[in-house]
Amino acid sequence: MTAMTQEKVRASGAREDQGAELQAAARKSFRRRRTLIWTGRVALAVAVVGGWQWFTEEGWVDKFFFGQPSEIWNSLVKLFTEGTAFGTIWENLWVTVQEAFLGFLLGTLVGVVLGILLGSNKYLSAVIGPYIRIVNSIPRIVLGSIFIVAFGLGVFPKILLAAVLVFFVVFFNAFQGVREVDQNLIANVRVLGASPFQVALHVTIPSAMTWIIASLHTAFGFAIIGALVAEVLGAQQGVGLIISQAQGTFDPNTVFACMVIIAVITLGAEFLISLLEKSLLKWRPPNRSEAQAI
């Protein structure tokens, strides 16, 4: 082996060692940052809950109106052990989750389809756009009352209200995502002989997918809100009905206990949507925060 070859081998090994050291340092920095983030989160939660408990114990905050963390915990235990007047907490939770999930699917499907159609077709946008804005201006609680009067106290009106709330979030994001697609790219694809369906399938939808997926993180929360509001207006079962009854009996601890349960469900859905986002957007270059985590 010549001296020049040996020098190249040593230089290559040095670069590999340097690269490995940089990766190790980046991983260590990421772990340290994640530890600091979780420490801050836990400290904030302890400060809020502990302060809440302390203020109510000292009488600075009236626990009759604002509840108390220890009593909220007792209400949670009671809900899961003794149930409610409308059945077990699991039965009521399943009703609410079912309404929210089906409303989420329906609102997302209709929002994506209409958003892509109106975003791609200026004529349809000009014709249908004003009506969508009119419906969007109607207070959701009014729509919920109309749905319950029209369809009764069953599951269907709750699904409809949840779908309406989800629809507008997804629709406007899908619409804007389509409008942001590079028109030169679309023109080039059409020159190559692509049909309108192929343009939508291979260019428009993938380009708008970032906007659509981003809207889903907010949309599921709105689906939960829609289901709960409709249950408060009138229902036979559901977490919203439990909240309505607790409100009528001046029981803020049960109201907060139901809020904790819904928060856990929403965080679980948020985690699943994040996994879906990573799966569908593998082709997208990592953004700044994602690149730092690599």
Side-chain angles (χ1 to χ4, degrees):
M1 182 180 294
T2 63
M4 184 176 294
T5 303
Q6 292 176 348
E7 184 65 25
K8 288 183 178 179
V9 171
R10 285 195 294 268
S12 177
R15 284 195 297 269
E16 290 178 358
D17 292 340
Q18 186 179 12
E21 291 176 359
L22 290 174
Q23 289 181 352
R27 285 193 294 267
K28 183 178 179 180
S29 176
F30 173 69
R31 287 193 296 267
R32 183 169 59 250
R33 181 174 180 273
R34 184 169 57 181
T35 301
L36 290 174
I37 289 173
W38 277 104
T39 301
R41 289 174 177 174
V42 173
L44 179 60
V46 170
V48 172
V49 175
W52 186 359
Q53 180 73 25
W54 180 32
F55 291 162
T56 51
E57 289 286 353
E58 295 295 327
W60 298 339
V61 175
D62 193 342
K63 61 183 178 182
F64 179 81
F65 296 106
F66 297 98
Q68 190 176 43
S70 58
E71 292 301 321
I72 293 172
W73 173 256
N74 292 335
S75 295
L76 277 170
V77 173
K78 184 178 179 180
L79 285 173
F80 282 96
T81 55
E82 300 180 15
T84 69
F86 317 107
T88 66
I89 186 61
W90 296 109
E91 292 173 345
N92 287 275
L93 184 58
W94 167 246
V95 170
T96 301
V97 170
Q98 183 182 18
E99 294 164 352
F101 182 70
L102 292 177
F104 175 75
L105 290 181
L106 178 60
T108 299
L109 178 62
V110 178
V112 169
V113 172
L114 281 183
I116 292 174
L117 284 177
L118 270 63
S120 304
N121 191 307
K122 293 183 179 181
Y123 175 75
L124 286 178
S125 176
V127 172
I128 302 176
Y131 296 101
I132 291 180
R133 288 191 288 271
I134 291 172
V135 176
N136 188 35
S137 67
I138 300 175
R140 305 299 185 259
I141 194 168
V142 174
L143 287 177
S145 299
I146 293 173
F147 292 155
I148 288 176
V149 170
F151 302 107
L153 300 178
V155 172
F156 186 63
K158 284 76 172 177
I159 295 174
L160 281 182
L161 185 59
V164 169
L165 267 68
V166 170
F167 166 78
F168 288 105
V169 176
V170 176
F171 167 79
F172 287 117
N173 275 269
F175 179 85
Q176 188 62 32
V178 171
R179 289 295 177 92
E180 294 292 331
V181 176
D182 187 353
Q183 296 302 312
N184 291 327
L185 178 60
I186 294 178
N188 291 334
V189 173
R190 286 175 176 169
V191 168
L192 293 175
S195 65
F197 177 76
Q198 290 175 323
V199 171
L201 184 63
H202 298 291
V203 179
T204 305
I205 295 177
S207 298
M209 190 60 67
T210 302
W211 288 76
I212 295 171
I213 294 296
S215 70
L216 299 185
H217 292 279
T218 305
F220 189 82
F222 277 100
I224 290 286
I225 292 172
L228 291 177
V229 168
E231 288 173 353
V232 169
L233 292 174
Q236 297 172 327
Q237 271 189 321
V239 177
L241 181 59
I242 299 173
I243 293 175
S244 180
Q245 185 197 44
Q247 176 188 350
T249 57
F250 296 96
D251 182 9
N253 296 305
T254 299
V255 174
F256 281 114
C258 292
M259 290 172 61
V260 170
I261 295 172
I262 292 300
V264 171
I265 297 297
T266 305
L267 288 176
E270 172 75 14
F271 175 74
L272 295 177
I273 292 173
S274 298
L275 294 180
L276 175 65
E277 180 178 15
K278 292 179 180 179
S279 176
L280 293 178
L281 300 179
K282 288 181 179 179
W283 54 269
R284 186 191 63 179
N287 57 35
R288 186 171 181 268
S289 61
E290 293 171 336
Q292 290 175 346
I294 297 177

